[in-house]
Amino acid sequence: MEKRKHIWSLLFLLVLMAFTFFLLFRQLNIQDLMDTITGFEPVFLAAGMGMVVLFLCCEAFVFRIVLKGIDHPIRRISALVYAGIDFYFSCITPSANGGQPAQAYYMTKDGVPLSKSGITILVYGMMYKAVLLLFGMFALCMVPSYVFGESTLLMVLFLFGAVCDVAVFVLCLFAIFHPDCIRRPVYFCIHILAKLRLITDKEKAMVGAEKQLLEYHEASMVCKKTPNLVIKTFCITFVQRAIQFSIGYLVFRG
């Protein structure tokens, strides 16, 4: 039965990849693409590809650090697979929203408790938002005229994005350091799903949710007691985002 599940999962992935490439190349001339690629300077092309690998390795490193800190160490290859899953599903879903749910799904399939995969993704997401804010503020200080002098729409969008990032960052902090605050929303969602008959056994769902919340609380306590873990993940995420932005620069130079 387990082998059959793996086969179906692999087939689904292959179909999804085929569909993705079909959409990509449906209105794209492959010869034009090849001409563009061959027109790149080999050094910059190789450097860009290397940066993509480093980008994935940084995310894998963060996952290993966080999961080890909450007493669920994973292998390097598993962490790299989770990073690849995030990268792939983020690329093929609108607004890059599919990466983290896919990560949580595959981590759970591999035996990582949902509470621990959740806290790992949450810590990484929080660091991601913090680093983006830092880069945004740096860009604003370096070239303020680009934001405030070029277009009113650009200024509004920049400020709106900054406010949203701060709000998400604060919510992540609350979820990690005050996990009890998410208990009511979880119970409310279960109640709504039960009303819609999407959950048949409400009591069982409540017990399961409470168990996950307790595990989540234990994991969050580890984060509070080990600030070095948060500092390490922030530094690695900072390097990762710098690598990501450098890819665009290398493509431009190439």
Side-chain angles (χ1 to χ4, degrees):
M1 182 63 70
E2 191 67 25
K3 184 178 180 181
R4 183 178 296 178
K5 285 183 179 180
H6 285 304
I7 293 173
W8 279 111
S9 297
L10 180 60
L11 287 174
F12 174 75
L13 181 61
L14 291 174
V15 170
L16 187 60
M17 290 175 65
F19 183 66
T20 302
F21 282 112
F22 169 75
L23 292 178
L24 284 174
F25 295 119
R26 184 176 56 176
Q27 296 180 336
L28 182 66
N29 189 306
I30 297 180
Q31 186 59 47
D32 290 342
L33 177 63
M34 294 304 299
D35 291 341
T36 301
I37 293 175
T38 54
F40 272 103
E41 290 288 339
V43 173
F44 289 107
L45 182 61
M49 294 174 67
M51 287 297 180
V52 172
V53 175
L54 287 176
F55 175 87
L56 295 175
C57 288
C58 285
E59 184 171 344
F61 195 22
V62 168
F63 272 54
R64 273 178 57 82
I65 288 175
V66 177
L67 283 169
K68 184 178 180 180
I70 55 179
D71 299 323
H72 197 98
I74 58 173
R75 297 179 301 163
R76 291 184 180 88
I77 187 64
S78 297
L80 194 58
V81 167
Y82 300 146
I85 288 170
D86 180 29
F87 187 81
Y88 176 72
F89 282 95
S90 293
C91 288
I92 66 171
T93 51
S95 302
N97 285 326
Q100 293 179 340
Q103 274 183 324
Y105 171 74
Y106 282 101
M107 290 171 75
T108 303
K109 281 191 67 175
D110 288 346
V112 180
L114 185 60
S115 57
K116 294 188 177 182
S117 64
I119 194 73
T120 303
I121 293 171
L122 187 60
V123 169
Y124 176 67
M126 186 179 71
M127 295 301 106
Y128 170 75
K129 293 296 180 186
V131 168
L132 282 186
L133 279 172
L134 194 61
F135 272 108
M137 293 302 105
F138 176 76
L140 183 62
C141 293
M142 294 299 293
V143 281
S145 60
Y146 184 76
V147 176
F148 296 112
E150 295 292 331
S151 167
T152 303
L153 178 61
L154 180 62
M155 180 182 68
V156 171
L157 290 175
F158 180 88
L159 294 175
F160 177 74
V163 170
C164 288
D165 273 350
V166 170
V168 171
F169 182 73
V170 171
L171 285 174
C172 288
L173 284 176
F174 265 97
I176 290 176
F177 296 110
H178 300 283
D180 288 340
C181 70
I182 66 174
R183 180 172 274 102
R184 283 189 178 182
V186 168
Y187 287 168
F188 177 75
C189 289
I190 291 175
H191 177 72
I192 295 297
L193 291 173
K195 285 285 187 182
L196 296 174
R197 296 184 179 180
L198 296 175
I199 291 179
T200 55
D201 192 337
K202 181 180 176 181
E203 293 301 321
K204 184 178 179 181
M206 296 282 277
V207 171
E210 184 62 30
K211 180 182 177 182
Q212 291 294 332
L213 287 170
L214 288 173
E215 292 180 0
Y216 189 90
H217 177 68
E218 291 173 3
S220 66
M221 289 299 292
V222 173
C223 290
K224 286 196 285 187
K225 292 177 180 177
T226 54
N228 286 339
L229 182 147
V230 177
I231 294 171
K232 285 180 181 178
T233 56
F234 176 84
C235 293
I236 297 169
T237 306
F238 182 89
V239 172
Q240 184 195 29
R241 294 303 146 184
I243 289 171
Q244 182 184 26
F245 294 139
S246 72
I247 295 171
Y249 172 75
L250 291 169
V251 170
F252 174 76
R253 285 295 305 274

